Structure formats: structure tokens, C-alpha cells
Coordinates of all heavy atoms in Angstrom, one line a residue:
M1 N -67.3 102.9 79.1 CA -66.0 103.5 79.2 C -64.9 102.5 79.0 O -64.0 102.6 78.2 CB -65.9 104.1 80.6 CG -65.3 105.5 80.7 SD -64.9 106.5 79.4 CE -64.9 108.1 80.2
Q2 N -65.2 101.3 79.7 CA -64.1 100.2 79.4 C -64.0 99.8 78.0 O -62.8 99.5 77.6 CB -64.5 99.0 80.3 CG -64.1 99.3 81.8 CD -64.1 98.0 82.6 OE1 -64.8 97.0 82.3 NE2 -63.4 98.0 83.8
N3 N -65.1 99.7 77.3 CA -65.0 99.3 76.0 C -64.2 100.3 75.1 O -63.5 99.9 74.2 CB -66.4 99.3 75.3 CG -67.1 98.0 75.8 OD1 -66.5 97.0 76.2 ND2 -68.4 97.9 75.6
V4 N -64.3 101.6 75.5 CA -63.5 102.6 74.6 C -62.1 102.3 74.9 O -61.2 102.3 73.9 CB -63.9 104.1 75.1 CG1 -63.1 105.0 74.5 CG2 -65.4 104.3 74.8
V5 N -61.6 102.1 76.1 CA -60.3 101.9 76.5 C -59.7 100.7 75.9 O -58.7 100.7 75.3 CB -60.1 101.9 78.1 CG1 -58.7 101.5 78.3 CG2 -60.5 103.2 78.8
R6 N -60.5 99.7 75.9 CA -60.2 98.4 75.4 C -59.9 98.5 73.8 O -58.9 98.0 73.3 CB -61.2 97.3 75.8 CG -60.5 95.9 75.8 CD -61.6 94.9 76.3 NE -61.9 95.0 77.8 CZ -62.7 94.5 78.4 NH1 -63.8 94.0 77.7 NH2 -62.9 94.5 79.7
S7 N -60.8 99.2 73.0 CA -60.7 99.2 71.7 C -59.4 100.1 71.3 O -58.8 99.9 70.3 CB -61.9 99.7 71.0 OG -62.2 101.1 71.3
K8 N -59.2 101.1 72.1 CA -57.9 102.0 71.9 C -56.7 101.1 72.0 O -55.8 101.2 71.2 CB -57.9 103.1 72.9 CG -58.5 104.4 72.4 CD -58.1 105.5 73.3 CE -59.0 106.7 72.9 NZ -58.8 107.8 74.0
Q9 N -56.7 100.2 73.0 CA -55.5 99.4 73.3 C -55.3 98.5 72.0 O -54.2 98.2 71.6 CB -55.6 98.6 74.5 CG -55.3 99.5 75.7 CD -55.4 98.7 77.1 OE1 -56.1 97.6 77.1 NE2 -54.9 99.1 78.1
S10 N -56.4 97.8 71.6 CA -56.2 96.8 70.5 C -55.8 97.5 69.2 O -55.0 97.0 68.6 CB -57.5 96.0 70.4 OG -58.4 96.8 69.6
L11 N -56.3 98.8 69.1 CA -55.8 99.5 67.9 C -54.4 99.8 67.9 O -53.6 99.6 66.8 CB -56.5 100.8 67.8 CG -56.3 101.7 66.6 CD1 -56.7 101.0 65.3 CD2 -56.9 103.2 66.6
S12 N -53.9 100.2 69.0 CA -52.4 100.5 69.0 C -51.5 99.3 68.9 O -50.5 99.3 68.4 CB -52.1 101.3 70.3 OG -52.2 100.6 71.5
E13 N -52.0 98.2 69.5 CA -51.3 96.9 69.3 C -51.3 96.5 67.9 O -50.3 96.1 67.4 CB -52.0 95.8 70.2 CG -51.6 95.7 71.6 CD -52.4 94.8 72.5 OE1 -53.0 93.9 71.8 OE2 -52.4 95.0 73.6
E14 N -52.4 96.8 67.1 CA -52.4 96.5 65.7 C -51.3 97.4 64.9 O -50.7 96.9 64.1 CB -53.8 96.8 65.2 CG -54.5 95.7 64.5 CD -55.9 96.0 64.1 OE1 -56.0 96.9 63.3 OE2 -56.9 95.5 64.7
E15 N -51.3 98.6 65.3 CA -50.4 99.5 64.7 C -49.0 99.1 65.0 O -48.1 99.2 64.1 CB -50.6 101.1 65.1 CG -52.0 101.6 64.5 CD -52.3 102.9 65.1 OE1 -51.8 103.2 66.1 OE2 -53.1 103.5 64.4
L16 N -48.8 98.7 66.2 CA -47.4 98.3 66.5 C -46.9 97.0 65.7 O -45.8 97.0 65.2 CB -47.3 98.0 68.0 CG -47.2 99.1 69.0 CD1 -47.2 98.6 70.4 CD2 -45.8 99.8 68.7
A17 N -47.9 96.1 65.6 CA -47.6 94.9 64.8 C -47.3 95.3 63.4 O -46.3 94.7 62.7 CB -48.9 94.0 64.8
K18 N -48.0 96.3 62.8 CA -47.7 96.8 61.3 C -46.4 97.2 61.4 O -45.7 97.1 60.3 CB -48.7 97.8 61.0 CG -50.0 97.2 60.4 CD -51.0 98.3 60.0 CE -52.4 97.7 59.8 NZ -53.4 98.8 59.7
L19 N -46.0 98.1 62.2 CA -44.7 98.7 62.3 C -43.6 97.6 62.3 O -42.6 97.7 61.8 CB -44.5 99.7 63.4 CG -45.1 101.1 63.2 CD1 -45.0 101.9 64.7 CD2 -44.6 101.8 62.2
K20 N -43.8 96.6 63.2 CA -42.8 95.6 63.2 C -42.6 94.8 61.9 O -41.7 94.2 61.7 CB -43.2 94.6 64.3 CG -43.0 95.0 65.7 CD -43.3 94.1 66.8 CE -43.3 94.8 68.1 NZ -44.0 93.8 69.1
E21 N -43.7 94.8 61.1 CA -43.6 94.0 59.8 C -42.7 94.6 58.8 O -42.1 94.1 57.9 CB -45.0 93.9 59.1 CG -45.8 92.7 59.8 CD -47.2 92.8 59.3 OE1 -47.5 93.4 58.3 OE2 -48.1 92.3 59.9
I22 N -42.5 96.1 59.0 CA -41.7 96.7 58.1 C -40.2 96.4 58.3 O -39.8 96.4 59.4 CB -42.0 98.3 58.3 CG1 -43.3 98.6 57.9 CG2 -41.0 99.1 57.3 CD1 -43.8 100.0 58.1
D23 N -39.5 96.1 57.3 CA -38.1 95.9 57.4 C -37.4 97.1 57.4 O -36.7 97.4 56.3 CB -37.7 94.9 56.2 CG -36.3 94.4 56.2 OD1 -35.5 94.9 57.2 OD2 -35.9 93.5 55.5
W24 N -37.1 97.8 58.5 CA -36.7 99.0 58.6 C -35.2 99.0 58.2 O -34.6 100.0 57.7 CB -36.9 99.7 60.0 CG -38.3 100.1 60.2 CD1 -39.1 99.5 61.0 CD2 -39.0 101.1 59.6 NE1 -40.4 100.2 60.9 CE2 -40.2 101.1 60.1 CE3 -38.6 102.0 58.5 CZ2 -41.2 101.9 59.6 CZ3 -39.6 103.0 58.1 CH2 -40.9 102.9 58.7
E25 N -34.5 98.0 58.5 CA -33.0 98.0 58.2 C -32.8 98.0 56.8 O -32.0 98.8 56.3 CB -32.5 96.6 58.8 CG -31.0 96.7 59.2 CD -30.5 95.3 59.8 OE1 -31.1 95.0 60.7 OE2 -29.6 94.8 59.2
T26 N -33.5 97.2 56.0 CA -33.4 97.3 54.5 C -33.9 98.7 54.1 O -33.3 99.2 53.3 CB -34.3 96.1 54.0 OG1 -33.9 95.0 54.4 CG2 -34.1 96.3 52.4
Y27 N -35.0 99.2 54.6 CA -35.5 100.5 54.2 C -34.4 101.6 54.3 O -34.1 102.3 53.3 CB -36.7 100.8 55.0 CG -37.3 102.2 54.7 CD1 -38.1 102.3 53.6 CD2 -37.0 103.3 55.5 CE1 -38.6 103.7 53.3 CE2 -37.5 104.5 55.3 CZ -38.3 104.7 54.1 OH -38.8 106.0 53.9
Y28 N -33.7 101.7 55.5 CA -32.8 102.7 55.7 C -31.6 102.5 54.8 O -31.0 103.5 54.4 CB -32.4 102.8 57.2 CG -33.7 103.5 58.0 CD1 -34.2 102.8 59.0 CD2 -34.1 104.7 57.6 CE1 -35.1 103.4 59.8 CE2 -35.0 105.4 58.4 CZ -35.6 104.7 59.3 OH -36.7 105.4 60.1
R29 N -31.1 101.3 54.8 CA -29.9 100.9 54.0 C -30.0 101.4 52.4 O -29.3 102.0 51.8 CB -29.5 99.5 54.1 CG -28.1 99.2 53.6 CD -27.8 97.7 53.8 NE -28.8 96.9 53.2 CZ -29.3 95.7 53.6 NH1 -28.9 95.4 54.8 NH2 -30.2 95.1 53.0
E30 N -31.3 101.0 51.9 CA -31.6 101.3 50.6 C -31.8 102.7 50.4 O -31.4 103.3 49.3 CB -32.7 100.4 50.1 CG -32.6 99.0 50.1 CD -31.6 98.6 48.9 OE1 -31.7 99.1 47.9 OE2 -30.7 97.6 49.2
S31 N -32.5 103.4 51.3 CA -32.8 104.8 51.0 C -31.7 105.6 51.2 O -31.6 106.8 50.6 CB -33.9 105.2 52.0 OG -33.5 105.1 53.1
A32 N -30.7 105.2 51.9 CA -29.5 106.1 52.0 C -28.5 106.0 50.9 O -27.8 106.8 50.7 CB -28.7 105.6 53.3
S33 N -28.8 105.0 50.1 CA -27.6 104.6 49.0 C -28.0 105.3 47.7 O -27.0 105.3 46.8 CB -27.5 103.1 48.9 OG -28.7 102.6 48.3
A34 N -29.2 105.6 47.4 CA -29.5 106.1 46.0 C -30.8 106.8 45.9 O -31.5 106.9 46.9 CB -29.5 104.9 45.0
D35 N -30.9 107.4 44.9 CA -32.2 108.1 44.6 C -33.3 107.1 44.4 O -33.2 106.0 44.0 CB -32.3 108.9 43.2 CG -31.4 110.1 43.4 OD1 -31.2 110.6 44.4 OD2 -30.9 110.5 42.3
L36 N -34.6 107.5 45.0 CA -35.6 106.5 45.1 C -36.7 106.7 44.0 O -37.1 107.9 43.9 CB -36.2 106.5 46.5 CG -35.1 106.1 47.7 CD1 -35.9 106.2 49.0 CD2 -34.8 104.7 47.4
K37 N -37.2 105.7 43.5 CA -38.4 105.8 42.7 C -39.6 105.7 43.5 O -40.6 106.4 43.4 CB -38.4 104.7 41.7 CG -39.4 104.8 40.6 CD -39.2 103.6 39.7 CE -39.5 104.0 38.1 NZ -39.1 102.9 37.3
G38 N -39.5 105.0 44.6 CA -40.7 104.7 45.4 C -40.7 103.5 46.2 O -39.8 102.6 46.0
L39 N -41.8 103.2 46.8 CA -41.9 102.0 47.6 C -43.0 101.1 47.1 O -43.9 101.6 46.6 CB -42.2 102.3 49.2 CG -41.3 103.0 50.0 CD1 -41.8 103.5 51.3 CD2 -39.9 102.3 50.1
S40 N -42.7 99.9 47.0 CA -43.7 98.9 46.5 C -43.8 97.8 47.6 O -42.9 97.6 48.5 CB -43.3 98.2 45.2 OG -43.1 99.2 44.3
N41 N -44.8 97.1 47.5 CA -45.0 95.9 48.4 C -45.0 94.6 47.5 O -45.7 94.6 46.5 CB -46.3 96.1 49.1 CG -46.3 96.9 50.3 OD1 -46.1 98.1 50.3 ND2 -46.4 96.2 51.5
C42 N -44.4 93.7 48.0 CA -44.5 92.4 47.3 C -45.9 91.8 47.5 O -46.4 91.8 48.6 CB -43.4 91.4 47.9 SG -43.6 89.7 47.2
P43 N -46.5 91.5 46.3 CA -47.9 91.0 46.4 C -47.9 89.5 47.1 O -49.1 89.3 47.6 CB -48.4 90.8 45.0 CG -47.1 90.7 44.2 CD -46.0 91.5 45.0
D44 N -46.8 88.9 47.2 CA -46.9 87.5 47.8 C -46.7 87.5 49.4 O -47.4 86.9 50.0 CB -45.8 86.6 47.2 CG -46.4 86.1 45.8 OD1 -47.4 86.6 45.3 OD2 -45.6 85.2 45.2
C45 N -45.7 88.2 49.7 CA -45.3 88.1 51.2 C -45.3 89.5 51.8 O -45.1 89.6 53.0 CB -43.8 87.6 51.3 SG -42.5 88.6 50.7
N46 N -45.7 90.6 51.0 CA -45.9 91.9 51.7 C -44.7 92.6 52.2 O -44.8 93.5 52.9 CB -47.0 91.8 52.6 CG -48.0 92.9 52.6 OD1 -48.2 93.4 51.5 ND2 -48.5 93.3 53.7
T47 N -43.6 92.1 51.7 CA -42.4 92.8 52.1 C -42.2 94.1 51.4 O -42.6 94.2 50.3 CB -41.1 91.9 51.6 OG1 -41.1 90.7 52.4 CG2 -39.7 92.6 51.9
I48 N -41.8 95.2 52.0 CA -41.7 96.5 51.4 C -40.4 96.5 50.6 O -39.3 96.1 51.0 CB -41.5 97.5 52.6 CG1 -43.0 97.6 53.1 CG2 -41.2 98.9 51.8 CD1 -43.1 98.6 54.2
L49 N -40.6 96.9 49.3 CA -39.5 96.9 48.4 C -39.2 98.3 47.9 O -40.1 99.1 47.7 CB -39.8 96.1 47.2 CG -40.1 94.6 47.5 CD1 -40.7 93.9 46.3 CD2 -39.1 94.0 48.1
I50 N -37.9 98.7 47.8 CA -37.6 100.1 47.3 C -37.1 100.1 45.8 O -36.1 99.2 45.5 CB -36.5 100.6 48.2 CG1 -37.1 100.8 49.7 CG2 -35.9 102.0 47.8 CD1 -36.2 100.2 50.8
A51 N -37.6 100.9 45.1 CA -37.3 101.0 43.7 C -36.4 102.2 43.4 O -36.8 103.3 43.8 CB -38.6 101.1 42.8
H52 N -35.3 101.9 42.6 CA -34.5 103.0 42.3 C -34.9 103.5 40.9 O -35.6 102.9 40.1 CB -33.1 102.5 42.2 CG -32.6 102.1 43.6 ND1 -31.9 102.9 44.4 CD2 -32.7 100.9 44.2 CE1 -31.6 102.3 45.5 NE2 -32.1 101.0 45.5
D53 N -34.5 104.7 40.5 CA -34.8 105.4 39.4 C -34.6 104.6 38.0 O -35.3 104.6 37.0 CB -34.1 106.8 39.1 CG -34.8 107.8 39.9 OD1 -36.0 107.5 40.2 OD2 -34.1 108.8 40.2
D54 N -33.5 103.8 38.1 CA -33.0 103.1 36.8 C -33.8 101.6 36.9 O -33.3 100.9 35.9 CB -31.6 103.0 36.7 CG -30.9 102.4 37.9 OD1 -31.6 102.1 38.9 OD2 -29.7 102.1 37.8
Q55 N -34.5 101.2 37.7 CA -35.0 99.9 37.7 C -36.3 99.9 37.1 O -37.3 100.8 37.3 CB -35.1 99.4 39.1 CG -33.9 99.1 39.8 CD -34.0 98.7 41.2 OE1 -34.6 99.3 42.0 NE2 -33.6 97.5 41.5
S56 N -36.6 98.8 36.2 CA -38.0 98.7 35.7 C -38.6 97.4 36.4 O -39.7 97.1 36.2 CB -37.8 98.5 34.3 OG -37.0 97.4 33.9
E57 N -37.8 96.8 37.1 CA -38.3 95.4 37.7 C -37.5 95.4 39.1 O -36.4 95.6 39.2 CB -38.0 94.3 36.7 CG -38.0 93.0 37.2 CD -37.7 92.0 36.1 OE1 -38.5 91.8 35.4 OE2 -36.6 91.4 36.2
L58 N -38.2 94.7 40.0 CA -37.7 94.5 41.3 C -37.7 93.0 41.6 O -38.6 92.3 41.2 CB -38.5 95.1 42.4 CG -38.3 96.6 42.6 CD1 -39.4 97.1 43.6 CD2 -37.0 96.9 43.1
T59 N -36.8 92.6 42.4 CA -36.9 91.2 42.9 C -37.1 91.3 44.4 O -36.4 92.0 45.2 CB -35.6 90.5 42.6 OG1 -35.4 90.4 41.2 CG2 -35.6 89.0 43.2
C60 N -38.1 90.5 44.8 CA -38.4 90.6 46.3 C -37.2 90.2 47.1 O -36.7 89.0 46.9 CB -39.6 89.8 46.6 SG -40.0 89.8 48.4
Y61 N -36.9 91.0 48.2 CA -35.7 90.6 49.0 C -36.0 89.2 49.9 O -35.1 88.5 50.3 CB -35.5 91.7 50.1 CG -35.3 93.1 49.6 CD1 -36.0 94.1 50.1 CD2 -34.5 93.3 48.4 CE1 -35.9 95.4 49.6 CE2 -34.4 94.6 47.9 CZ -35.2 95.6 48.5 OH -35.1 96.9 48.0
H62 N -37.3 89.0 50.0 CA -37.8 88.0 51.0 C -38.1 86.8 50.2 O -37.5 85.7 50.6 CB -39.0 88.4 51.7 CG -39.4 87.5 52.8 ND1 -38.8 87.2 54.0 CD2 -40.6 86.6 52.9 CE1 -39.4 86.3 54.6 NE2 -40.4 86.0 54.0
C63 N -38.9 86.8 49.2 CA -39.2 85.5 48.6 C -38.8 85.4 47.1 O -38.9 84.3 46.4 CB -40.8 85.4 48.5 SG -41.7 86.5 47.5
G64 N -38.0 86.3 46.5 CA -37.5 86.2 45.2 C -38.5 86.5 44.1 O -38.1 86.5 43.0
K65 N -39.7 86.9 44.4 CA -40.6 87.2 43.3 C -40.2 88.4 42.5 O -39.7 89.4 43.0 CB -42.0 87.4 43.8 CG -43.2 87.6 42.8 CD -44.5 87.8 43.5 CE -45.5 88.1 42.5 NZ -45.8 87.0 41.7
K66 N -40.4 88.3 41.2 CA -40.1 89.5 40.3 C -41.4 90.3 40.1 O -42.5 89.9 39.8 CB -39.7 89.0 39.0 CG -38.3 88.4 39.0 CD -37.5 88.7 37.6 CE -36.0 88.8 37.8 NZ -35.4 87.5 38.2
I67 N -41.2 91.6 40.4 CA -42.3 92.5 40.3 C -41.8 93.6 39.3 O -40.9 94.2 39.3 CB -42.5 93.2 41.6 CG1 -42.9 92.2 42.7 CG2 -43.6 94.3 41.6 CD1 -42.4 92.4 44.0
T68 N -42.7 93.7 38.2 CA -42.6 94.8 37.2 C -43.1 96.0 37.7 O -44.2 96.1 38.2 CB -43.3 94.4 35.9 OG1 -42.7 93.1 35.5 CG2 -43.0 95.3 34.8
L69 N -42.3 97.2 37.5 CA -42.8 98.4 38.0 C -43.6 99.1 36.9 O -43.3 99.0 35.7 CB -41.6 99.3 38.4 CG -40.7 98.6 39.6 CD1 -39.5 99.5 39.8 CD2 -41.6 98.6 40.8
Ligands
ZN101 ZN1 -42.0 88.5 48.4

């Protein structure tokens, strides 16, 4: 029984940590401003990037890496 409770707790902590990694401020600002092509992740630092319809390439907000869509 205790093991079940414990693994549930560690799972939810993991999920919370994942949520904290998302840059929600950027996400909401960008998604409010224009039509979206979709979401990508920077392969280097895993920052979530938002692509607009007219973009063929993204620059990572965090590390500056160029990502071709
Ligand atoms: Zn990056």
C-alpha cells in the first residue's frame, strides 16, 4: 500500500516539474499575437518554441539555435 502511495507522489512531482519547464509566459504571449503553425521544441535546450504560418525557420528564444521547420 505504501509503495503505491509513494509512486503516485513521485509521478505527480515529475509532472509538476515538467509543467514548470514550460515557458508559459512566452507561450501565451506568442499564441495571442498571431496564427500558429504549431509548437516545436529546441533540440538543444528543450525550450518550447512557437511557429507562425509564415515562418520556415525558428530561432530558439533561450539559446539562439536556428531550427528549420
Ligand atoms: Zn535552445
Side-chain angles (χ1 to χ4, degrees):
M1 224 10 160
Q2 278 193 341
N3 281 345
V4 174
V5 172
R6 210 173 277 161
S7 68
K8 265 188 190 170
Q9 280 178 341
S10 78
L11 181 64
S12 71
E13 277 171 20
E14 241 175 61
E15 286 172 345
L16 281 175
K18 276 182 195 166
L19 284 175
K20 282 180 190 166
E21 284 173 15
I22 299 176
D23 187 351
W24 287 111
E25 206 178 305
T26 301
Y27 175 80
Y28 284 122
R29 191 178 59 225
E30 292 289 321
S31 64
S33 66
D35 291 335
L36 298 179
K37 192 179 219 173
L39 295 173
S40 303
N41 279 69
C42 176
D44 281 8
C45 68
N46 223 32
T47 296
I48 292 180
L49 306 170
I50 294 132
H52 298 265
D53 276 341
D54 57 350
Q55 287 182 302
S56 60
E57 165 177 287
L58 280 176
T59 303
C60 176
Y61 311 131
H62 184 73
C63 70
K65 183 181 176 68
K66 285 214 158 64
I67 297 146
T68 305
L69 300 173

